[in-house]
Amino acid sequence: MQLKHVAKGGLLAGLMALAMTGSAFAVTLHMHNGGEPASLDPHKVSGTWENRIVGDYLEGLTTEAANGDAIAGAAESWDISEDGLVYTFHLRQDAVWSDGTPVTAHDFVTAFQRLMNPETAASYAYLQYTIKNAEAINSGEIEDLNELGAVALDDYTLEVTLENPAPFLLQALTHYTAYPVPSHLLEEHGDAWADTANIVANGPYVPVEWLPGSHLRSVKNDSYHDADNVQIEEVIYYSLDDLSAALNRYRAGEFDILTDFPADQITLLDSQHPGEAHVAPFLGLHYYVFNLNNPDLADVNVRKALSMAINREIIGPDIFGTGELAAYSWVPPGTANYIDGAFTYDWAETPYGERVAEAQALMAEAGFGPDNPLSVEIRYNTSDNHQRLAVAIAAMWEQLGVQTELFNSEVVVHYDALQANDFHSIGRAGWVMDYNDPINMLELLRTGIDYNYGRYDNDEYNALIAASATETDIDARAAILAEAEALAMEDYAALPLAFYVSRNVVSPRISGFEDNASDIHRTRWLTKSED
Amino acid sequence: MLRYAFRRVLSALPIAFIAVTVCFFILRLAPGGPFDTGRPLPPNVLANVRAYYNLDQPLFTQYLLYIGGVLRGNLGPSMAFYDFNVSQLLAIGLPFTLTLGFSAFVIATFVGVLAGMVSAVYQNKWPDYVLVLAVMIGLVVPNFLMGALLQLWFGVYLRWLPAGGWVTGSITHLVLPVTVLAWPHAARISRLMRGSMIEVLGTNYVRTAKSKGLGSRLVLARHAIKPAMIPVVSYLGPGLSYLLTGSIVVEQIFGLPGIGRYFISAALNRDYGLVLGTTLFYMLLILVLNLIVDLVYAWLDPKVRYS
């Protein structure tokens, strides 16, 4: 009995000592991060919640400024060849990993080769397919990793050769798929290099503790090149999927930043925490696809009527409740390397009543009417928001005499069916852009890729997309892409509904948080005042 | 009794085997796989990933590989949390789930038995009515609502207790989650206890004890509690396994790092390894708990014998 007490006492003391180490830092940022990170290895992650952690501890050749723009990161400067195919990056000569080992061009070469190596099975490898031979290596066509277009000319010079000119490269290199990995640790530990026991950082923070289901803790990396300007000394990223619970904990003062909140709580936030909710346009689109293999939808007039009859202005404020922007185009506003407002439906400004009348006429023209109603099925992934939207749209279509059935399934099943083109007529989808360039949206309608759920197939469109890949002039390229967007939209290839918004809640104690279309806010730019 | 226990453990093994087999194949029957998400992977990347997890092998080969792994104590990799394998995830989460579950179990049992006794002794008087009200609240308010309400009152408005999270060694962080978890169980136990206590108090041997002049407290303590506990004990086994597996919602709301949440998230992610590992683990837990309950029966009720 006594022995038991001693053991218990010892355990308790140990636990309390452990608990106290958490509060030894002066400025701690408590960030609600949402999901549980799958990994800290940049080649194995895929979520925004992982990006927040990984992008705070690793820094690519370029990195995100507070406003999301690409700025110099591990590379101090770069030269671009005339034809836009060769980028030569000059690395910082004083940069070191947090264990003191220099960060060299070889770390980047190792990282790119590992990303493309089929054995790594990196799910986001395709984001860097612009690099020469990347796709061939990743699909196993080329087995020699050294054929990859990323070569170290010396310890501090990296040459990246591309398949095609890619004006978005500097932006794409801020992505975690382009981060360096510490080659010395990779040799020593293999895939276990990213365990919190082994991990090193070249970015502003180093992960030190990870308790799955609760939090991950990183502390400031004093050897980071811009460490003098980093004020927050410790970041705790909390994994908590329950958004209402997260909001309660924010209101209890336990979190400084929420990276999402329940949409229906916006009025409460506005009244009780004015100015703390940040709702900003975000590079993503909610849309419906038409299954173009369904004969009823083959007539462009039917698709046009269905699109025109949707009152998009109520989606953001009333159906989702968080001010998503009505979408009358395919490419989100704020997309880089593009012409802002390149396309808008000419009927976007027409009063809704007139639009419905016109849509009714189009339906009649296509041979659908009270005696011969069009039947469609909206297939969506199970979610309150998607259900409300589908019910509202079914009601709007009822004005055209369209009979709509709703069908929902969990997200895995849903996208499995969409990819296989295994749905009746209408499928709900959402796309958040991987990098800030219009090609990332327009690829979704190209022939031959799985994301083209509705199987839109237009040779002219495909030719324009192909032409944009070889155009080096950024304005000329934007014009080609805009032509493609207009073509697909006038063809009613799919049905854009609303552009995403990012939803953050930021405590008044935090400054330096700038809303931006990529919704990326690196901790190094934030400061926290003690109240 | 030892022989009985041993036999029960042995008979649990084929049950576990059958359950794992059924689970394995049912999971694969469900449409979609661990790598079908909102963002489908390019075919060659998907092929790489599937090869990495042996998902490209024939189903039966995968099954043999899995069973072989389990027999060697290896529950395989998680397909959603790459930096951990299933055994590691269970090992990290287990202490939290156990702390939460057992704390709630002890408190629910103690409070429930006490409340049931008070209700029985003061049957249809005001202490009984007050307790019935508390019991009804515990039974009808679902735990996700109760959790959110307690969070709001004690975390946001009064700021007496943390609204969530886990700080090792801190008791205050346990108060709200344990309350939410224990309340409905305390309620059920007290209903059982009240009913059986009222019955026991009406039996001949209790009347005999009273009539030979024993004080009512002694009668309760010496003659009434033990027999009145029998229905409660039969509930405790399933109750405990329910508390340990039922902490999913509480873990979600309060952001606690237990293993309950893997049950849901792993199933939705089609994280085959983690679903099977968690199922196997909970199944063994329930088998063991039921065994313990059966053994306690014998001690409480001389009429129960093992053959």
Side-chain angles (χ1 to χ4, degrees):
Chain A
M1 198 66 186
Q2 253 181 350
L3 194 70
K4 220 184 202 171
H5 273 295
V6 172
K8 218 164 142 191
L11 190 70
L12 204 71
L15 292 176
M16 280 165 89
L18 242 168
M20 277 155 74
T21 54
S23 50
F25 290 88
V27 186
T28 301
L29 179 75
H30 298 275
M31 181 193 288
H32 162 244
N33 192 28
E36 178 70 31
S39 171
L40 296 183
D41 187 329
H43 298 153
K44 298 193 171 174
V45 300
S46 55
T48 49
W49 58 97
E50 288 147 350
N51 188 5
R52 286 185 204 108
I53 298 170
V54 175
D56 268 357
Y57 95 89
L58 290 176
E59 187 176 67
L61 295 161
T62 54
T63 187
E64 300 94 349
N67 65 5
D69 286 351
I71 56 168
E76 228 164 5
S77 62
W78 47 85
D79 312 307
I80 307 172
S81 70
E82 280 283 314
D83 58 4
L85 287 176
V86 181
Y87 284 63
T88 311
F89 291 92
H90 307 286
L91 270 57
R92 291 174 198 278
Q93 309 231 351
D94 56 347
V96 289
W97 293 100
S98 50
D99 63 355
T101 314
V103 180
T104 67
H106 305 289
D107 291 328
F108 282 93
V109 173
T110 307
F112 280 122
Q113 290 188 352
R114 181 170 181 261
L115 175 73
M116 293 307 163
N117 189 338
E119 283 171 22
T120 311
S123 51
Y124 263 19
Y126 68 90
L127 284 182
Q128 304 297 346
Y129 276 0
T130 42
I131 298 173
K132 192 169 174 62
N133 292 336
E135 187 167 3
I137 290 174
N138 196 232
S139 59
E141 276 168 48
I142 297 181
E143 288 185 5
D144 182 5
L145 296 178
N146 292 318
E147 298 273 305
L148 186 67
V151 180
L153 299 183
D154 60 50
D155 280 357
Y156 296 100
T157 314
L158 180 77
E159 188 184 80
V160 177
T161 312
L162 307 183
E163 290 280 353
N164 298 303
F168 53 88
L169 183 77
L170 295 176
Q171 189 77 41
L173 290 180
T174 62
H175 194 264
Y176 48 81
T177 45
Y179 290 168
V181 294
S183 22
H184 60 294
L185 289 187
L186 198 62
E187 259 168 48
E188 194 181 334
H189 303 289
D191 277 356
W193 74 270
D195 285 0
T196 38
N198 307 327
I199 207 163
V200 294
N202 80 324
Y205 294 90
V206 199
V208 289
E209 180 202 353
W210 182 3
L211 181 55
S214 173
H215 65 270
L216 185 137
R217 190 163 66 89
S218 290
V219 298
K220 185 175 165 181
N221 172 13
D222 287 320
S223 58
Y224 178 59
H225 62 79
D226 195 32
D228 290 348
N229 294 318
V230 175
Q231 187 242 2
I232 289 169
E233 286 157 8
E234 182 189 43
V235 194
I236 303 181
Y237 310 88
Y238 294 88
S239 12
L240 180 62
D241 288 318
D242 188 318
L243 295 182
S244 305
L247 180 59
N248 279 344
R249 292 182 66 183
Y250 174 83
R251 297 177 67 204
E254 292 170 23
F255 292 154
D256 299 310
I257 291 181
L258 295 183
T259 52
D260 199 358
F261 61 84
D264 53 3
Q265 298 293 313
I266 182 77
T267 35
L268 172 124
L269 275 165
D270 281 345
S271 66
Q272 299 195 9
H273 302 265
E276 294 173 30
H278 291 238
V279 177
F282 179 53
L283 298 174
L285 175 70
H286 293 280
Y287 63 102
Y288 280 0
V289 286
F290 297 110
N291 187 349
L292 295 166
N293 289 327
N294 179 328
D296 285 345
L297 297 174
D299 186 342
V300 64
N301 281 338
V302 173
R303 304 198 297 266
K304 183 177 181 183
L306 291 176
S307 190
M308 283 179 83
I310 292 174
N311 184 355
R312 291 167 174 78
E313 301 300 329
I314 66 164
I315 295 175
D318 301 323
I319 298 175
F320 290 164
T322 24
E324 277 75 1
L325 304 167
Y328 298 99
S329 66
W330 191 248
V331 179
T335 303
N337 311 321
Y338 203 48
I339 307 156
D340 223 17
F343 180 84
T344 306
Y345 279 120
D346 51 11
W347 44 259
E349 299 290 323
T350 314
Y352 183 62
E354 284 175 37
R355 257 158 59 190
V356 173
E358 199 180 323
Q360 284 164 340
L362 285 169
M363 287 299 280
E365 207 176 303
F368 290 104
D371 307 328
N372 178 27
L374 172 69
S375 294
V376 297
E377 177 185 272
I378 300 180
R379 183 173 180 143
Y380 59 95
N381 49 309
T382 314
S383 137
D384 286 348
N385 269 351
H386 303 329
Q387 180 171 14
R388 278 202 296 270
L389 182 61
V391 168
I393 287 179
M396 295 170 195
W397 284 348
E398 213 178 323
Q399 304 171 87
L400 310 182
V402 176
Q403 294 174 349
T404 310
E405 284 189 30
L406 304 186
F407 181 84
N408 76 88
S409 52
E410 51 169 321
V411 67
V412 174
V413 181
H414 178 72
Y415 279 104
D416 209 32
L418 250 53
Q419 266 185 80
N421 189 243
D422 178 18
F423 60 107
H424 177 261
S425 44
I426 311 279
R428 180 267 151 197
W431 186 265
V432 173
M433 289 166 71
D434 297 311
Y435 50 90
N436 193 350
D437 190 87
I439 192 71
N440 193 245
M441 280 308 301
L442 294 167
E443 277 274 326
L444 299 178
L445 297 173
R446 188 164 65 87
T447 305
I449 68 163
D450 287 343
Y451 321 116
N452 184 354
Y453 309 122
R455 302 294 185 258
Y456 178 61
D457 184 9
N458 183 332
D459 291 341
E460 204 184 336
Y461 182 83
N462 298 335
L464 286 168
I465 298 295
S468 77
T470 52
E471 178 57 65
T472 51
D473 182 73
I474 198 155
D475 294 329
R477 176 178 176 272
I480 296 172
L481 292 174
E483 199 183 330
E485 184 188 11
L487 183 70
M489 287 296 96
E490 291 297 357
D491 240 358
Y492 294 85
L495 205 161
L497 291 167
F499 294 115
Y500 277 71
V501 288
S502 57
R503 292 191 284 254
N504 293 284
V505 185
V506 184
S507 151
R509 279 173 298 185
I510 303 294
S511 45
F513 188 99
E514 286 185 30
D515 293 339
N516 62 62
S518 324
D519 195 27
I520 288 179
H521 312 274
R522 297 295 177 208
T523 308
R524 65 184 278 212
W525 307 116
L526 305 179
T527 53
K528 180 177 171 181
S529 62
E530 294 303 318
D531 48 4
Chain B
M1 197 158 91
L2 256 178
R3 249 174 66 190
Y4 171 78
F6 184 68
R7 255 211 329 268
R8 281 283 302 268
V9 170
L10 268 191
S11 69
L13 290 178
I15 298 178
F17 177 75
I18 292 168
V20 166
T21 306
V22 169
C23 267
F24 183 93
F25 289 102
I26 284 184
L27 261 178
R28 299 310 172 96
L29 278 179
F35 307 107
D36 300 316
T37 52
R39 189 60 58 98
L41 299 174
N44 51 336
V45 177
L46 188 65
N48 295 343
V49 180
R50 289 175 62 87
Y52 186 85
Y53 289 104
N54 291 325
L55 294 175
D56 55 343
Q57 308 269 346
L59 191 58
F60 197 69
T61 314
Q62 291 182 43
Y63 171 71
L64 291 181
L65 283 171
Y66 182 74
I67 292 293
V70 170
L71 288 179
R72 275 176 274 122
N74 175 10
L75 295 175
S78 161
M79 290 160 198
F81 305 106
Y82 311 121
D83 286 5
F84 300 92
N85 61 41
V86 173
S87 314
Q88 281 172 325
L89 284 172
L90 292 180
I92 293 170
L94 191 60
F96 301 103
T97 299
L98 291 185
T99 310
L100 197 62
F102 279 114
S103 314
F105 177 72
V106 170
I107 289 169
T109 310
F110 183 75
V111 172
V113 167
L114 199 71
M117 276 166 54
V118 171
S119 276
V121 172
Y122 294 97
Q123 193 189 347
N124 297 332
K125 303 206 177 83
W126 68 264
D128 187 21
Y129 294 134
V130 172
L131 285 170
V132 165
L133 181 72
V135 164
M136 288 314 282
I137 291 175
L139 287 179
V140 299
V141 180
N143 53 3
F144 57 88
L145 179 61
M146 182 68 83
L149 287 176
L150 293 182
Q151 235 177 11
L152 266 183
W153 288 329
F154 295 101
V156 178
Y157 299 140
L158 297 171
R159 297 217 175 185
W160 288 353
L161 291 165
W166 183 287
V167 173
T168 314
S170 155
I171 303 281
T172 51
H173 282 83
L174 272 176
V175 175
L176 292 184
V178 167
T179 307
V180 174
L181 200 54
W183 199 329
H185 287 269
R188 260 176 234 126
I189 290 170
S190 84
R191 297 313 290 164
L192 284 172
M193 190 67 189
R194 180 180 184 273
S196 75
M197 192 66 146
I198 287 171
E199 207 182 302
V200 169
L201 290 178
T203 55
N204 289 337
Y205 61 87
V206 168
R207 228 175 312 135
T208 311
K210 274 189 181 159
S211 62
K212 75 175 180 185
L214 273 186
S216 50
R217 268 189 206 172
L218 261 177
V219 172
L220 267 183
R222 206 169 286 169
H223 298 286
I225 292 184
K226 214 173 148 186
M229 285 289 281
I230 289 175
V232 174
V233 169
S234 63
Y235 170 77
L236 289 183
L240 177 57
S241 42
Y242 195 80
L243 273 174
L244 291 173
T245 55
S247 52
I248 299 166
V249 175
V250 172
E251 286 176 15
Q252 289 269 13
I253 292 179
F254 292 98
L256 303 177
I259 53 178
R261 73 210 151 81
Y262 292 140
F263 238 13
I264 294 182
S265 71
L268 289 179
N269 291 335
R270 300 281 190 276
D271 186 344
Y272 299 138
L274 193 51
V275 176
L276 286 170
T278 322
T279 311
L280 186 67
F281 173 77
Y282 275 136
M283 197 175 52
L284 292 177
L285 196 70
I286 290 169
L287 286 171
V288 169
L289 291 174
N290 284 342
L291 176 64
I292 292 174
V293 169
D294 287 350
L295 296 180
V296 171
Y297 260 159
W299 174 75
L300 275 177
D301 186 349
K303 279 182 277 176
V304 177
R305 283 289 169 268
Y306 302 104
S307 49

